[in-house]
Amino acid sequence: LIYINKNYMNITLRQIEIFLATANSGSVSRAALELFISQAAASMSLKEFEAQLGEKLFDRVGKKLILNESGRAAVTMAAEVSGRAGELADYFADRSHLSGNLIIGASSTIGNYVLPEYAASFISHNPETKVQLEVGNTEEIIEKVAGFAVDIGFIEGSCCEPELEVVSWRDDELAVFSAPQHTLAAAGSVGIAELESCNWVLREKGSGTREIFENQISRLSMTINIALELGNTEAVKNAVSRGSGISCLSHCALQDLLKLGVIKLIDTPFFDLSRKFYLIIHRKKYKTRILRSFLEHVGA
């Protein structure tokens, strides 16, 4: 005997799709554009969805829609329903082919220098799939994973959100570097005092790279002069290569400029600049077939 709750028979997958798109974008108009429907149709669908649930799901702050407590509860369940519906379609499709969309969030170093290769090889093996990669700093990616705005996240900083599962993924190491003409470039191994006398160019607060570097500065009780704070890794590299100061970034982000000879590594044996990259996923996230396949592909 299969029991069907008839009170919710009028809720459609399309309503759930529109609700999730609105929750992710914070705007009915942007959700409508994403789904290729009119704003009026999206607004009506959302209104009907709230009416059937008997709850308002958003607070309006200016022009932006923010999930309220009921909305946050609904988005967790709606995301699972959407995922399971996709899995149902996949199950009865051609099982020899993987299809579907995957949205991945990644902090700057991973998103720009590590994941593109994984994503490209995954698509080449599964040509009917589509991967969307969203890059931000660690704090932004944690927020996106927590809000189900992305299916999975990869970060280089710490994460203490209890609703997220954090899995160690792969090793990385940072390096201090400068332009070739900088006074420390030819100095061999340098000391703390020499680094304290330099101008530094660093990533912004909230980035995993900045967090690891500041932990080392604190451990050594160093005082440094931060001349520039920049919001992405490429901007930091360009500033340092043009002589604006020295910096500390991931080895994998520096390979292109090292090969061109426009930057040089500085030996800092007193720094412990090893770290981990982490995979994060919401504990209530339903792992669809495409998500499970991608996790296997990246060795997670």
Side-chain angles (χ1 to χ4, degrees):
L1 178 65
I2 300 175
Y3 173 73
I4 299 176
N5 185 346
K6 296 183 179 180
N7 293 328
Y8 293 96
M9 283 294 289
N10 291 327
I11 294 177
T12 67
L13 289 173
R14 190 57 165 169
Q15 288 174 334
I16 289 174
E17 184 181 30
I18 292 169
F19 164 63
L20 290 173
T22 304
N24 290 339
S25 66
S27 165
V28 174
S29 60
R30 284 198 290 272
L33 285 172
E34 178 186 330
L35 299 173
F36 302 103
I37 60 175
S38 69
Q39 183 173 343
S43 295
M44 178 61 70
S45 174
L46 192 61
K47 183 177 180 180
E48 290 173 352
F49 185 59
E50 289 181 318
Q52 290 171 41
L53 296 180
E55 295 278 353
K56 289 291 185 182
L57 304 176
F58 296 93
D59 293 324
R60 183 175 292 278
V61 181
K63 295 183 178 181
K64 189 173 178 65
L65 293 176
I66 306 294
L67 288 168
N68 59 25
E69 184 178 357
S70 295
R72 288 191 294 273
V75 81
T76 301
M77 292 179 277
E80 181 173 357
V81 170
S82 178
R84 288 187 178 273
E87 186 82 347
L88 178 65
D90 283 346
Y91 185 85
F92 290 98
D94 183 353
R95 303 303 292 164
S96 65
H97 293 87
L98 184 67
S99 63
N101 299 332
L102 189 64
I103 306 176
I104 302 169
S107 54
S108 179
T109 299
I110 304 173
N112 287 313
Y113 306 103
V114 180
L115 271 183
E117 182 177 351
Y118 281 103
S121 62
F122 181 75
I123 293 170
S124 70
H125 285 93
N126 305 283
E128 295 179 29
T129 62
K130 179 181 178 182
V131 175
Q132 178 182 334
L133 179 58
E134 299 188 6
V135 180
N137 64 35
T138 291
E139 287 184 355
E140 291 168 341
I141 300 306
I142 290 172
E143 183 178 346
K144 285 179 179 292
V145 174
F148 292 91
V150 297
D151 295 308
I152 194 169
F154 294 84
I155 59 172
E156 57 214 69
S158 59
C159 174
C160 300
E161 295 294 329
E163 70 268 27
L164 303 186
E165 181 182 358
V166 182
V167 180
S168 178
W169 181 44
R170 54 178 281 179
D171 296 325
D172 184 46
E173 188 166 352
L174 306 182
V176 178
F177 66 102
S178 71
Q181 65 270 23
H182 194 279
T183 55
L184 296 188
S189 183
V190 301
I192 291 176
E194 291 166 297
L195 295 182
E196 288 182 322
S197 67
C198 294
N199 289 331
W200 285 82
V201 182
L202 297 180
R203 285 287 308 279
E204 81 287 2
K205 292 277 190 180
S207 78
T209 299
R210 176 72 175 264
E211 179 187 355
I212 296 295
F213 178 71
E214 287 190 336
N215 287 342
Q216 290 302 304
I217 293 297
S218 176
R219 180 180 68 84
L220 297 168
S221 301
M222 289 177 60
T223 302
I224 63 170
N225 177 43
I226 302 174
L228 278 175
E229 286 189 358
L230 299 171
N232 65 72
T233 299
E234 288 300 308
V236 173
K237 290 162 59 178
N238 289 335
V240 171
S241 68
R242 288 166 170 76
S244 297
I246 66 175
S247 188
C248 182
L249 292 174
S250 170
H251 262 291
C252 64
L254 302 176
Q255 296 307 307
D256 55 345
L257 297 192
L258 286 170
K259 290 177 182 177
L260 293 172
V262 296
I263 62 170
K264 188 169 182 180
L265 300 184
I266 298 173
D267 187 19
T268 56
F270 45 85
F271 276 151
D272 177 10
L273 296 175
S274 60
R275 66 173 177 179
K276 291 279 189 181
F277 287 155
Y278 297 97
L279 179 156
I280 57 174
I281 188 168
H282 202 289
R283 295 185 186 278
K284 294 183 179 179
K285 173 69 180 177
Y286 176 66
K287 293 185 178 74
T288 60
R289 183 179 171 219
I290 184 174
L291 178 52
R292 294 196 304 270
S293 297
F294 187 80
L295 290 173
E296 182 178 351
H297 184 75
V298 301

